[in-house]
Amino acid sequence: MFTGFSQATQDFLWGLLLNNERPWFEAHRAEYQQHLLTPFRELALDTSDEMRKRFPDLSLTLHIARIYRDARRLHGRGPYKEHLWFSLSDTDWISTASFWFEIGAADFGYGLGLYCATPEQMENYRRCISAAPAAFARIVEDINRGGLFSPEGAEYKRPKGDLGPLLNPWYNKKHIGAEHSESFGPALFSPDLPQILADGFSTLMPLYQYICTACGLPAPQKLP
C-alpha cells in the first residue's frame, strides 16, 4: 500500500540527475529500491486498482517503466532515466491512448495522451472535431472548468484549421495530450495520491473515450 514518497526520494533523484553513471547508481542502489522503486510500484498498483474499481467494465493494463535506458538509444545521455513513469492503457501504451504519471527530481505530472499517433489517426481525430465541434467543446469545457489539465505538445507551424480559441489548442497539436504538472512537493508525500490521480484520470475519461473512437483505436466499453 502506498504511504507516500519522502524527501529521500527527491534526494536520490537529484543525485541521479547529477551523477548519471553506473558506479554512482550501484553505490546508491539501496536508496533507489527503498525510496523510489518500492513506493513508485505501490503507487502504480494502488492507482490501477482504484481505476478498476471506478471503471470495472474498462480494461486497463498497467505498464511500469524501467529506470534503465535502452543502450541503443543513449544518444550521449546517462544509462538511467531521470524520470520514472507508469501508464494505464487498453493495449500496448505505445500504440494507444494512455493515462500516465511521471516523477522527477524537480517536479511530477500526470495526464492522458496518444503520443505515437499516425498521420491518419490525427486526421481522423480532427475530422471528428470538425464534423461536430459542439460535442468536443463540451468535453473541453468540462476539462477547463476543473482548472487542472491543459493541452500539451508541439503545434503545427501551419495550423490545420481555425475552430476558435476554445478548440484550437486541442485541434492543432501534432499529438493529443492533456497534462497537469507541479513542483516536487506535499502531494507526493500524501498516501491519498492514488485517489488524486484516479480523480484526475476520471476527469479525463470522456477525452479518453473520444480519442479512442475518433482515432479508430480499440474502443473502450461503455462506461456509466
Side-chain angles (χ1 to χ4, degrees):
M1 178 179 294
F2 180 74
T3 58
F5 292 106
S6 66
Q7 185 58 50
T9 305
Q10 187 178 35
D11 293 343
F12 171 83
L13 285 166
W14 273 120
L16 179 63
L17 185 64
L18 298 173
N19 304 276
N20 198 324
E21 53 191 21
R22 183 178 175 81
W24 185 92
F25 184 85
E26 290 301 324
H28 295 82
R29 179 177 287 275
E31 293 99 306
Y32 160 66
Q33 293 177 337
Q34 179 180 354
H35 300 301
L36 178 59
L37 181 60
T38 296
F40 188 84
R41 285 180 172 173
E42 291 170 347
L43 174 63
L45 290 170
D46 287 358
T47 304
S48 178
D49 288 345
E50 180 61 26
M51 289 296 288
R52 291 191 180 100
K53 291 177 184 177
R54 297 187 184 199
F55 305 101
D57 294 329
L58 184 63
S59 175
L60 289 174
T61 299
L62 173 64
H63 175 81
I64 302 176
R66 300 173 72 245
I67 199 169
Y68 307 99
R69 283 199 176 107
D70 188 330
R72 299 167 296 179
R73 298 181 174 88
L74 294 181
H75 305 299
R77 298 174 297 178
Y80 307 100
K81 299 170 185 172
E82 290 94 357
H83 287 76
L84 197 59
W85 57 268
F86 70 80
S87 66
L88 290 165
S89 57
D90 186 70
T91 54
D92 175 31
W93 68 271
I94 295 177
S95 59
T96 192
S98 301
F99 299 100
W100 57 269
F101 168 84
E102 183 178 66
I103 185 174
D107 53 18
F108 72 99
Y110 56 100
L112 167 70
L114 175 62
Y115 300 108
C116 296
T118 65
E120 180 182 9
Q121 287 172 331
M122 292 302 298
E123 181 60 30
N124 289 339
Y125 165 77
R126 289 188 292 272
R127 187 181 296 116
C128 286
I129 296 176
S130 298
F136 189 70
R138 286 192 292 271
I139 295 175
V140 172
E141 287 168 348
D142 286 343
I143 293 174
N144 289 349
R145 193 174 299 115
L148 189 64
F149 296 101
S150 57
E152 60 97 6
E155 295 189 357
Y156 291 100
K157 293 182 179 179
R158 295 183 177 179
K160 296 293 184 178
D162 185 1
L163 276 69
L166 177 66
L167 298 186
N168 282 346
W170 301 88
Y171 188 85
N172 287 308
K173 297 291 188 184
K174 293 182 178 180
H175 65 253
I176 314 161
E179 72 168 352
H180 169 76
S181 61
E182 59 184 273
S183 299
F184 198 109
L188 292 174
F189 305 147
S190 172
D192 295 330
L193 186 55
Q195 298 287 333
I196 294 172
L197 297 183
D199 288 345
F201 296 158
S202 297
T203 298
L204 295 175
M205 187 60 73
L207 179 61
Y208 171 81
Q209 293 178 284
Y210 189 95
I211 292 172
C212 290
T213 301
C215 296
L217 301 173
Q221 298 183 33
K222 185 176 181 181
L223 302 177

